[in-house]
Amino acid sequence: MIQVLLVDDDALVRAGLRMMLASADDIEVVGEATDGGEVETLVDQHTPDIVLMDIRMPTVDGLEATRRLRARPRAPEIVVLTTFVSDDYVLRALQAGAAGFLLKHTHPDRIIDAVRRAAAGEPVMSPEALGRLIGTVRTGPPGTPVPAPAPVREGEAQRLLGLLGDRELEVAVAIGQGKTNAEISSDLYMSVPTVKSHVSHILAKLGLNNRVQIALLVYRSGRG
């Protein structure tokens, strides 16, 4: 079972998510939080695999709660789920360590699929958020500096990727192209466990939290 913690200050939203996820026989909601300040205690109590995290909350927002969680050992994967999308929020959520960013009006089947993919270590992103992310990272808003994903810029991104071995670099570039582990396995003629091992080594070498941050680094290096 994939265990999920819901974090949202709106009781109706939490109830809707709980009902939605209950339709999947491999997902279990193990707890609910009404504010980001409650999350660490509930994670300690329930050890969820996935946290569905709202951004706007009254005391500790979802971005800060994500940052705190991902700084901990054996942190759960975090999918930010919100009613709106902006360039700044998408980048900040991913820089904080979120595995993905979805809008709350996303179809229930896609939210369930996103939970499964995040649990499997795959990035998840709504089309709206992905479009804004790629546009911002590649070109930036007119007349403004391009935000960096880590906080690195192009030269530093290239230097960091230079720390990788040849096969690790191939895997990193494939992640930057949005490919899944299965697709990378097929394209690069390696087993899925080997792909996962390379991903783990890449994250450790580069000091990153998840695959989305690898993809951002690849974009900034000019290899995306």
Side-chain angles (χ1 to χ4, degrees):
M1 295 290 286
I2 302 170
Q3 298 187 322
V4 177
L5 174 67
L6 305 178
V7 186
D8 198 298
D9 61 338
D10 189 325
L12 290 177
V13 170
R14 296 197 310 275
L17 288 171
R18 180 180 282 276
M19 291 178 61
M20 180 191 311
L21 296 175
S23 67
D25 57 12
D26 59 339
I27 298 175
E28 177 187 13
V29 176
V30 295
E32 299 181 14
T34 61
D35 187 81
E38 304 169 7
V39 174
E40 290 183 90
T41 298
L42 290 174
V43 166
D44 288 339
Q45 290 176 359
H46 300 291
T47 60
D49 303 297
I50 304 294
V51 176
L52 288 183
M53 182 85 74
D54 188 24
I55 285 185
R56 289 181 171 176
M57 290 180 286
T59 305
V60 176
D61 67 21
L63 297 175
E64 176 62 17
T66 296
R67 186 192 65 77
R68 292 180 186 179
L69 273 186
R70 293 302 298 174
R72 293 159 50 110
R74 296 178 297 280
E77 296 293 346
I78 300 169
V79 176
V80 172
L81 197 61
T82 185
T83 55
F84 64 97
V85 62
S86 73
D87 302 341
D88 181 57
Y89 276 125
V90 173
L91 280 171
R92 288 173 63 196
L94 299 180
Q95 289 167 2
F101 194 106
L102 295 175
L103 298 182
K104 290 180 182 177
H105 66 244
T106 300
H107 191 279
D109 288 345
R110 291 197 60 198
I111 292 180
I112 290 171
D113 179 64
V115 168
R116 290 171 175 154
R117 288 178 59 193
E122 302 284 353
V124 292
M125 189 78 64
S126 71
E128 300 96 329
L130 183 59
R132 286 180 176 270
L133 172 65
I134 293 174
T136 300
V137 171
R138 286 183 168 167
T139 62
T144 62
V146 178
V152 300
R153 307 235 175 243
E154 184 172 348
E156 178 66 3
Q158 292 173 348
R159 185 192 71 78
L160 288 170
L161 291 180
L163 300 175
L164 303 178
D166 291 342
R167 293 298 266 175
E168 291 170 343
L169 181 58
E170 289 178 332
V171 171
V173 171
I175 290 172
Q177 295 168 346
K179 294 181 179 179
T180 65
N181 285 346
E183 290 169 336
I184 296 172
S185 171
S186 175
D187 290 350
L188 299 183
Y189 303 101
M190 61 178 70
S191 68
V192 170
T194 300
V195 174
K196 291 181 178 179
S197 177
H198 281 313
V199 173
S200 296
H201 292 157
I202 293 166
L203 293 173
K205 280 187 177 182
L206 303 185
L208 302 176
N209 277 307
N210 55 48
R211 296 167 64 100
V212 180
Q213 291 184 339
I214 296 174
L216 288 171
L217 194 68
V218 171
Y219 282 133
R220 288 302 299 128
S221 75
R223 292 175 178 267

